[in-house]
Amino acid sequence: MIIGTLQLDLMLYESHSLKDKRSLSKRLIADLRSHFDLAIAEVESQNLRNRLGLGIAIVGSESRLLEGILQQIIDRVQNFPEFEMLDATTELIHIN
């Protein structure tokens, strides 16, 4: 079993309050969940109105497939004009 993780650090220029941020993040999270079989949560910058830190995990049996899915997720997030991707960190964890 292999666990693929992705940590995203996003800037939200159009967010003027935590309520705006919550609305934008919920829309992004719902979109990703509808297109990918993943676990996702806000893991950083919860109290900052213009930053969003997301943690994403997927599970599979082939490294190449997981790497491809993680890249597709990154590409999809980059297509959201409300967000600027500051950092994307991926990791594959092999469990025997």
Side-chain angles (χ1 to χ4, degrees):
M1 175 172 69
I2 304 168
I3 301 169
T5 66
L6 171 60
Q7 187 167 346
L8 297 174
D9 184 15
L10 305 171
M11 179 68 76
L12 294 79
Y13 292 110
E14 299 300 317
S15 177
H16 303 290
S17 67
L18 289 175
K19 187 175 180 180
D20 289 345
K21 174 186 175 179
R22 193 168 39 255
S23 175
L24 290 168
S25 67
K26 282 185 176 187
R27 193 167 65 94
L28 175 62
I29 289 170
D31 179 81
L32 293 175
R33 282 187 174 145
S34 72
H35 286 88
F36 303 98
D37 188 16
L38 52 76
I40 185 169
E42 184 176 353
V43 295
E44 289 186 16
S45 305
Q46 287 94 340
N47 294 324
L48 299 176
R49 66 168 174 76
N50 62 347
R51 295 287 290 272
L52 178 61
L54 294 177
I56 298 170
I58 58 175
V59 177
S61 59
E62 295 182 31
S63 296
R64 185 179 298 180
L65 177 64
L66 292 178
E67 288 171 347
I69 294 170
L70 292 172
Q71 186 59 53
Q72 288 175 28
I73 294 168
I74 292 169
D75 294 343
R76 187 158 191 93
V77 172
Q78 288 177 329
N79 285 328
F80 274 77
E82 301 89 349
F83 302 98
E84 177 186 347
M85 188 172 302
L86 302 177
D87 189 35
T89 305
T90 63
E91 183 177 3
L92 295 180
I93 303 165
H94 297 263
I95 299 178
N96 296 325

